[in-house]
Amino acid sequence: MPEAWRDMDITNPTEEHAMLREMVRNFVSDRVEPQALENDRNERFNLELFREMGGMGLLGLTAPTEYGGAGMDCTSVAIVNEELSYSDPGLCLAFLAHDQLFVNNLVHSGNDLQKQRILPNVCSGEWVGCLGMSEPDHGTDVLGMQTSAVQSEDGSWVINGRKMWITNGIIDQDGNPADVVWLYARTGTDAKGRAEVSTFLVEKGMKGYSAGQKIEDKLGMRASTTAELVFEDCIIPAENLVGKPGESMIHLMRNLEHERVGLAAMSVGIARRCLADMNSYATEREAFGKEIRDFGQIQRHIGESWAEYRAMKAYVYDTARQIDLSEAGHRLDSDGVKLFATTAAKNIADRAIQVMGGYGYVGEYVVERMWRDAKLLEIGGGTLESHQKNITKDLKRDPEAIN
């Protein structure tokens, strides 16, 4: 049997992927790491650094090159998310909201005119995008949303409602809202009595669109902004409707798979940093005349963390390899990998704190920040409970997936 297959690296399957990883890893070391602690403490989104990423071609990873994007795939997204999250998961979350929740959605669901007008601005970083789905009283229950859009006689739409927990909802210290929002709103009721949800592009400067409260004092992801967005008789021109009325669930389900793999890849970055730091500390720290890595309790923390890290990394990149960004069809594994990887990352961060003791408990040593940031990944993009429900439902429908 030929032996060449043994050399395949699913985390860098092509030379292009390997070059991307090297570029981002160097950027993280030189530019991201030095600012991460300060911006976490100050709850500040580093807009200037974010826009640097536009100049590197990172803010439209999956957008076609003719619009200023990189024309890459889900594995490339996993690489960038992992590398950024090794140092600054908060900054990565802002990147994810822009690149994966806004840009990728527009690439695969927008029409040519919408893409021609908007994609160059978001791929360059001139505009910062976000997604507006969650509301004060509705999160996972998407069809329960109350934000409404009513069409006027001239074809325009009038939107009323509030969106909550929006990453990139506010983009600067002056409280300016995101430049453009991929917005889901209720436009009616279908024949089965369910909400008809439609997708709109809301742009800064449109009458009735504004930022509400900025969410302060978060547990983690403090280097990204989280805000409320307000729509009060917000007038949206007809050309800013994406697709046809009622098509949002198609847009939503296709992009959720991509988002969940991206969040799982963030978990890989968090886990890698925590494992590296606890492993290094276990050699440097001595107790009772020997390195603490010689004690069985420490060996358990490091050994279990290594096994979980390797398992999650393989699952993330195997799933990313299979994702076709233009269509849904991989919910079983996109849910499965996020279910496993996010909790594993939190547990590895927890063990790192335990190994490092008092040093692990303070901000200067990074792992406490990683622990705080990891928790959101069990909630955002779908709760653990929703993944458990989806996996169980899908395995009933397709038990052969187990084989």
Side-chain angles (χ1 to χ4, degrees):
M1 177 182 292
E3 294 292 312
W5 64 272
R6 295 185 185 275
D7 297 328
M8 180 183 175
D9 178 2
I10 63 171
T11 68
N12 298 297
T14 69
E15 183 178 355
E16 187 177 16
H17 290 109
M19 291 173 61
L20 174 67
R21 186 182 296 278
E22 181 180 14
M23 178 185 73
V24 178
R25 186 167 291 191
N26 290 336
F27 172 69
V28 167
S29 176
D30 295 342
R31 300 288 292 127
V32 177
E33 183 71 15
Q35 56 81 62
L37 176 59
E38 179 181 0
N39 285 314
D40 175 77
R41 285 175 172 167
N42 296 333
E43 295 190 80
R44 178 182 177 270
F45 169 46
N46 192 335
L47 181 58
E48 298 80 9
L49 187 61
F50 177 86
R51 286 187 165 138
E52 281 187 36
M53 294 167 64
M56 298 169 63
L58 298 178
L59 295 184
L61 275 176
T62 60
T65 54
E66 58 263 35
Y67 298 120
M72 300 189 82
D73 54 18
C74 190
T75 296
S76 303
V77 171
I79 288 170
V80 176
N81 284 15
E82 178 194 338
E83 295 298 330
L84 288 175
S85 295
Y86 179 86
S87 175
D88 193 344
L91 178 65
C92 185
L93 189 69
F95 163 72
L96 181 149
H98 175 94
D99 174 78
Q100 288 136 68
L101 303 190
F102 183 86
V103 174
N104 190 71
N105 256 318
L106 181 57
V107 166
H108 293 288
S109 299
N111 62 38
D112 288 342
L113 290 177
Q114 290 167 344
K115 288 187 277 192
Q116 289 167 9
R117 186 171 64 83
I118 295 175
L119 279 178
N121 293 315
V122 289
C123 289
S124 69
E126 181 180 351
W127 287 10
V128 178
C130 70
L131 179 142
M133 182 173 72
S134 295
E135 298 184 354
D137 296 318
H138 297 88
T140 303
D141 179 17
V142 177
L143 293 180
M145 71 173 60
Q146 296 302 303
T147 297
S148 65
V150 178
Q151 193 166 27
S152 302
E153 291 183 1
D154 64 1
S156 65
W157 296 81
V158 180
I159 297 179
N160 282 282
R162 293 171 180 264
K163 296 295 182 178
M164 193 64 159
W165 314 115
I166 308 304
T167 302
N168 296 349
I170 288 176
I171 63 171
D172 57 29
Q173 300 301 105
D174 296 326
N176 286 307
D179 296 292
V180 61
V181 185
W182 184 269
L183 181 73
Y184 295 122
R186 187 170 186 152
T187 52
T189 304
D190 67 16
K192 296 182 179 180
R194 299 173 301 190
E196 176 190 85
V197 181
S198 304
T199 307
F200 299 89
L201 292 162
V202 182
E203 299 170 47
K204 184 178 177 181
M206 288 183 171
K207 181 181 177 182
Y209 164 52
S210 64
Q213 61 178 314
K214 178 183 177 183
I215 310 302
E216 306 276 6
D217 200 24
K218 297 182 295 184
L219 172 70
M221 298 295 183
R222 294 162 66 95
S224 66
T225 58
T226 307
E228 177 186 37
L229 294 179
V230 180
F231 306 90
E232 295 180 315
D233 293 329
C234 179
I235 300 175
I236 306 297
E239 59 266 26
N240 278 35
L241 171 70
V242 179
K244 299 176 182 178
E247 287 189 346
S248 286
M249 294 309 294
I250 298 172
H251 310 157
L252 178 66
M253 296 312 298
R254 176 171 53 210
N255 210 71
L256 267 177
E257 295 182 4
H258 179 46
E259 177 189 3
R260 287 170 178 169
V261 175
L263 290 164
M266 289 182 64
S267 302
V268 175
I270 290 172
R272 179 161 62 88
R273 178 61 177 271
C274 292
L275 179 59
D277 283 7
M278 83 166 101
N279 184 57
S280 177
Y281 183 86
T283 298
E284 297 168 0
R285 180 74 171 185
E286 293 187 359
F288 306 101
K290 56 183 178 181
E291 297 173 357
I292 64 170
R293 69 186 311 113
D294 292 334
F295 294 100
Q297 301 97 321
I298 302 301
Q299 292 165 358
R300 177 179 179 181
H301 290 314
I302 294 175
E304 290 183 353
S305 296
W306 168 253
E308 289 181 6
Y309 163 67
R310 290 289 291 166
M312 67 196 289
K313 190 172 186 177
Y315 196 4
V316 164
Y317 284 97
D318 183 60
T319 304
R321 175 183 61 83
Q322 299 177 61
I323 293 288
D324 181 345
L325 296 173
S326 65
E327 59 184 34
H330 292 283
R331 186 175 78 166
L332 185 58
D333 277 327
S334 64
D335 275 67
V337 74
K338 183 174 174 294
L339 174 66
F340 176 71
T342 56
T343 296
K346 185 189 69 175
N347 290 342
I348 292 170
D350 191 80
R351 294 190 197 109
I353 294 173
Q354 198 70 23
V355 168
M356 297 171 70
Y359 291 103
Y361 198 69
V362 297
E364 183 180 353
Y365 283 80
V366 179
V367 293
E368 67 85 28
R369 172 162 55 87
M370 295 289 166
W371 181 79
R372 290 187 286 106
D373 288 348
K375 181 58 192 175
L376 178 73
L377 303 180
E378 294 185 321
I379 302 170
T383 62
L384 298 183
E385 294 78 12
S386 70
H387 303 324
Q388 292 159 351
K389 174 181 69 69
N390 290 342
I391 291 167
T392 304
K393 181 185 294 185
D394 289 351
L395 286 176
K396 180 179 180 181
R397 184 184 302 117
D398 182 21
E400 286 300 311
I402 299 172
N403 298 321

